[in-house]
Amino acid sequence: MRFQSQKVAYWFFATCMLLLSLQIVYGFIMGFARIGLDGLHDYIPFNTARATHTNLLVVWLLTGFMGAAYYIIPEESDRELYSVKLAYIQLISWVVVGVIAIIGFHFNWWEGRKFLEIPRPLDYLVVVNVLTFLFNIAMTIWEAKKRSTTQLVLFFGLLCAALLYLPGMIYFDNQTIDSYFRWWVVHLWVEGVWELIMGGILSFLLIKLTGVDREVIEKWLYVVVGLTFLSGILGTGHHYYWIGTPKYWLMVGGIFSALEPLAFLGMAIWALNMYRKKGKNHPNKIALYWTLGSAMMSFIGAGFLGFAHTWPAVNQWTHGTLITAMHGHLAFWGAYAMLVLAVISYAMPNLTGRKLFTGMSGYLAFWASNIGMLGMTGALAVAGITQVYLERKLGMDFLVVQKEIIFHFIGMLLAATLFTVGITYFIVDFIRHGLPSNEALGKNVGDLD
Amino acid sequence: MLSKSQARAFFLGGTFLFSAVFVFLTVDTLRQTDSRTNAQNITEDVLKGKEIWEKNNCMGCHTLLGEGAYYAPDLTKVVERRGATWIDVFLDDPQAMFPGERKMVKYNFTKEEKGQVIAFLDWVGKIDANGWPPKPNIPIDSIATSPAPQVKTNAVAVSQPEKFSQLCVACHTVGGKGGNVGPALDHVGSKFDSDYLNRWLSDPQAIKPGTNMPKLPLTDPERKDIVTYLSALK
């Protein structure tokens, strides 16, 4: 690490690891419930496990983005963070809000809107918290001598993510309008501004890991995020087909969703090309694996699998089935989870001065978790297609169909176990790195810039 | 080749243009929503029902308009499919209605709250959702299977009581129509006499402890009608 204040990122990353572990636990609870082993029903019914599982995902990814920003912004700005103290206060309050929310879910305290289950009073705390975070980042950039595109795209992404949280906090009497604006948060986050954050982080990692000229990388960053907004904003329409909005959304959503894979394809081609152009080899191969892996998996999961069921004529059958869960798993994993793990893999040796990337465990973590996630996605895909045909096309009863697909959930649980092995390796490596050390100050391990 | 400033212009221009179109379409959508969703029918009960729906995170298992989780059935057309009476009985003890199946939390709603939930679901079911959910479009008889067993239903002189079609068919079939949780009732009248059927319906547990059959809230005349009907199924 170059700056003392980057150390704060470590604590964000550590929080990520904890929340990710918990997310996996809740995933297993749901997986077992699906095959009929729902012994926890009285204490953790499915809707509690579900809300906890998805909210933990959102929270750990946001925690990861914050950690990434605290790590990247000082380096891009060539100065210390505006306030380290504020960053710690922000982290602690963030965790407190998260813990209260998760405990609340177990006592039927929530706002039952998928992905936005956090109760209203806590929403306000989240807003204050995120504003604090943005203030800290903004002041760091403001007082910096250096302005970089990477820095600005990342900041713009984080700012928009915060602003777009607000439409989700307005209460509407009408279910259709309620749903309409819920997607402003959920869709415009994951298929809009989060991709900006992703682009910013990817750009930083590519600059560091490939040593290709910053100007070249940042030019393509603009193109990629340009494609994202070009397709993603009106692509929101694929959530508006069947909820009571006008028919033209079928056309608007259909066309622009069909373009959405372009942004992810652009991301993948960009990352691979920069890698091909590299002058020297960066020793931290594992960080490179996660970086390129994220660019490619996001294309498969978010781009291709999204494309596979957003066309209206297909979506009318797949809407609200396990097909959505299938796409969701690989999309979030490829685009955002892998990216956060890439930042962590890159930053840990720099923060602690320990070069654990030379061992086998990093590769094991990468391959086991990726193969595991592909297996889970495959199992959900088969279950989803079966469900679509039996329940939707043939008209069989919901519960009868669910019994027919139990087998695929056993497959999913097995793949999830492999995934968990991978993540365990990752976390063990994380712990073995130890705490950030002052001895690592001033130098980065093997950077090519 | 594209320069960096051109790339920036592409990003900023595209973002601005498509955001503007999106805002315009949003305004138009909001303008049309009232008529598409029959907003005039959003009564006090519907709103209360929506509150209950959200307060208990029903979307954490069910979907509504296809949105939510995929652990329990979509409820968009549930009032049309099951009818208010059935939902009302079901909510009292969901597990009794689907014994040994996927579990639903027992919420202990009051009579009034159940009515509000049903009012909300009824309103949702009438939203113009561009024809969603679609009707099944692969006819069963187009699939090569062994011919369906011909169910012999005798001409029943007694017509099916309303309560029977609201509640019993969720689990039992008559003439091949109905649920498959409980046994088919096509010939139940030749197996049991009306006295037994009456006692069975009054309290299934008393006759066969541990049975999956729930005790249904039937008034005396309703039970009598059903017993008469069942006795005629021979």
Side-chain angles (χ1 to χ4, degrees):
Chain A
M1 82 195 124
R2 297 260 157 84
F3 300 95
Q4 178 90 27
S5 53
Q6 282 176 297
K7 274 187 193 171
V8 69
Y10 172 86
W11 297 103
F12 279 83
F13 296 152
T15 310
C16 271
M17 297 291 98
L18 202 68
L19 299 176
L20 169 60
S21 319
L22 214 54
Q23 195 206 347
I24 294 174
V25 171
Y26 279 83
F28 271 108
I29 293 175
M30 290 199 283
F32 280 115
R34 286 239 171 226
I35 61 170
L37 300 172
D38 54 354
L40 288 169
H41 174 78
D42 291 337
Y43 315 99
I44 309 175
F46 191 88
N47 59 346
T48 300
R50 157 78 197 223
T52 311
H53 183 70
T54 46
N55 280 270
L56 279 172
L57 169 74
V58 175
V59 174
W60 87 257
L61 290 177
L62 286 174
T63 312
F65 291 162
M66 288 175 183
Y70 280 131
Y71 184 87
I72 292 171
I73 293 295
E75 209 154 307
E76 286 287 301
S77 306
D78 204 18
R79 52 155 291 158
E80 296 283 356
L81 265 184
Y82 173 72
S83 165
V84 175
K85 205 163 133 199
L86 209 55
Y88 280 114
I89 293 173
Q90 192 240 323
L91 173 66
I92 292 164
S93 57
W94 178 252
V95 171
V96 169
V97 171
V99 168
I100 295 174
I102 297 294
I103 293 174
F105 290 170
H106 291 72
F107 292 93
N108 215 15
W109 189 46
W110 44 26
E111 197 178 296
R113 303 163 79 218
K114 189 176 162 190
F115 292 119
L116 304 179
E117 281 95 346
I118 295 187
R120 190 51 47 89
L122 295 182
D123 277 342
Y124 297 114
L125 293 177
V126 169
V127 170
V128 174
N129 191 285
V130 173
L131 287 176
T132 314
F133 162 73
L134 284 172
F135 172 74
N136 206 357
I137 296 293
M139 288 308 285
T140 310
I141 295 177
W142 184 254
E143 294 184 356
K145 292 169 261 351
K146 225 171 74 177
R147 291 273 185 282
S148 80
T149 301
T150 302
Q151 181 194 47
L152 293 177
V153 168
L154 183 59
F155 179 73
F156 187 54
L158 293 165
L159 178 71
C160 288
L163 288 178
L164 281 169
Y165 191 64
L166 303 177
M169 290 173 57
I170 313 167
Y171 185 84
F172 297 99
D173 284 344
N174 191 318
Q175 179 71 19
T176 297
I177 303 177
D178 195 75
S179 195
Y180 188 91
F181 284 104
R182 193 173 59 86
W183 289 115
W184 274 42
V185 190
V186 179
H187 174 92
L188 291 178
W189 262 12
V190 296
E191 281 156 84
V193 296
W194 280 27
E195 283 185 59
L196 229 63
I197 299 173
M198 181 188 178
I201 295 175
L202 210 53
S203 166
F204 173 81
L205 288 171
L206 289 173
I207 290 169
K208 297 291 173 184
L209 293 170
T210 66
V212 172
D213 184 46
R214 176 183 284 276
E215 282 300 299
V216 178
I217 290 184
E218 291 185 338
K219 177 174 86 183
W220 291 111
L221 172 62
Y222 273 134
V223 175
V224 166
V225 296
L227 283 173
T228 299
F229 276 178
L230 191 135
S231 58
I233 295 174
L234 290 177
T236 317
H238 62 236
H239 300 291
Y240 297 159
Y241 296 159
W242 326 112
I243 62 167
T245 50
K247 221 174 188 97
Y248 55 70
W249 282 112
L250 292 174
M251 194 184 68
V252 176
I255 292 171
F256 285 90
S257 306
L259 295 174
E260 273 186 50
L262 280 185
F264 286 103
L265 183 65
M267 199 96 75
I269 293 176
W270 172 48
L272 288 175
N273 257 328
M274 294 305 114
Y275 171 69
R276 264 183 348 119
K277 284 189 179 172
K278 71 179 191 329
K280 285 176 284 186
N281 283 326
H282 194 283
N284 191 347
K285 282 271 183 315
I286 288 160
L288 195 67
Y289 265 57
W290 285 107
T291 306
L292 299 180
S294 166
M296 283 186 281
M297 282 297 229
S298 67
F299 170 63
I300 301 171
F304 176 73
L305 291 183
F307 178 73
H309 83 126
T310 46
W311 191 248
V314 177
N315 190 262
Q316 64 171 328
W317 302 104
T318 59
H319 179 59
T321 65
L322 290 165
I323 294 287
T324 314
M326 172 274 295
H327 160 53
H329 275 80
L330 200 65
F332 270 104
W333 168 250
Y336 303 119
M338 285 181 76
L339 186 74
V340 169
L341 299 184
V343 179
I344 295 176
S345 301
Y346 169 74
M348 285 306 280
N350 293 340
L351 286 166
T352 62
R354 292 188 174 204
K355 301 176 192 173
L356 290 187
F357 48 71
T358 48
M360 234 355 244
S361 54
Y363 295 103
L364 283 172
F366 179 85
W367 289 112
S369 57
N370 268 292
I371 295 169
M373 182 51 82
L374 282 171
M376 283 160 73
T377 308
L380 278 171
V382 181
I385 294 166
T386 311
Q387 185 192 6
V388 167
Y389 274 87
L390 295 184
E391 187 192 327
R392 293 280 169 80
K393 303 279 265 184
L394 288 168
M396 278 167 70
D397 185 66
F398 179 88
L399 282 174
V400 175
V401 174
Q402 293 296 313
K403 277 200 187 119
E404 294 295 322
I405 57 180
I406 279 183
F407 181 79
H408 307 300
F409 278 94
I410 297 174
M412 176 158 176
L413 283 166
L414 290 173
T417 307
L418 182 63
F419 175 79
T420 310
V421 168
I423 297 299
T424 308
Y425 269 110
F426 192 94
I427 293 174
V428 167
D429 259 5
F430 183 89
I431 295 168
R432 280 173 55 222
H433 270 100
L435 296 177
S437 140
N438 279 335
E439 284 164 32
L441 258 183
K443 53 180 187 284
N444 278 345
V445 178
D447 273 3
L448 305 170
D449 63 340
Chain B
M1 206 56 191
L2 207 63
S3 74
K4 190 168 171 183
S5 62
Q6 282 169 326
R8 189 190 303 127
F10 168 72
F11 165 60
L12 292 175
T15 302
F16 181 78
L17 177 68
F18 287 104
S19 301
V21 174
F22 189 57
V23 169
F24 171 78
L25 290 178
T26 297
V27 172
D28 186 65
T29 300
L30 294 181
R31 217 170 40 79
Q32 295 192 38
T33 311
D34 277 3
S35 66
R36 294 185 61 98
T37 60
N38 309 306
Q40 74 280 2
N41 297 339
I42 303 180
T43 58
E44 203 57 31
D45 274 356
V46 171
L47 289 178
K48 288 263 173 55
K50 182 169 180 275
E51 261 173 49
I52 295 168
W53 172 268
E54 286 169 3
K55 212 179 126 238
N56 295 297
N57 192 22
C58 304
M59 248 191 177
C61 293
H62 291 281
T63 48
L64 195 62
L65 295 161
E67 299 187 330
Y70 323 108
Y71 190 65
D74 186 90
L75 299 183
T76 310
K77 299 279 182 192
V78 70
V79 178
E80 189 186 307
R81 192 169 70 235
R82 297 283 193 193
T85 316
W86 187 90
I87 301 172
D88 191 75
V89 174
F90 172 80
L91 282 175
D92 284 331
D93 190 354
Q95 288 183 42
M97 295 296 266
F98 288 106
E101 300 273 342
R102 200 161 275 190
K103 293 183 184 122
M104 172 172 154
V105 180
K106 191 173 170 180
Y107 285 107
N108 301 318
F109 294 136
T110 62
K111 181 86 191 150
E112 199 190 0
E113 286 168 332
K114 287 190 294 178
Q116 290 161 346
V117 171
I118 293 166
F120 170 64
L121 292 171
D122 188 37
W123 170 76
V124 168
K126 294 184 176 119
I127 290 176
D128 177 359
N130 291 327
W132 197 90
K135 295 259 176 295
N137 68 347
I138 302 181
I140 293 277
D141 51 20
S142 73
I143 300 168
T145 51
S146 52
Q150 289 297 310
V151 186
K152 273 215 196 90
T153 30
N154 48 337
V156 180
V158 190
S159 64
Q160 205 174 67
E162 202 188 329
K163 278 280 160 180
F164 186 90
S165 51
Q166 284 167 345
L167 298 174
C168 310
V169 293
C171 297
H172 298 280
T173 54
V174 174
K177 280 198 198 112
N180 53 5
V181 178
L185 298 178
D186 294 300
H187 306 291
V188 68
S190 53
K191 280 183 224 150
F192 305 107
D193 63 18
S194 58
D195 176 51
Y196 178 90
L197 289 170
N198 190 42
R199 278 188 295 127
W200 173 254
L201 280 174
S202 314
D203 190 358
Q205 288 296 333
I207 297 187
K208 192 176 161 196
T211 178
N212 285 333
M213 168 88 181
K215 185 177 168 181
L216 297 166
L218 299 168
T219 62
D220 284 341
E222 281 165 356
R223 195 171 63 243
K224 209 172 136 240
D225 283 351
I226 294 176
V227 169
T228 312
Y229 171 71
L230 291 175
S231 303
L233 294 172
K234 296 204 177 187

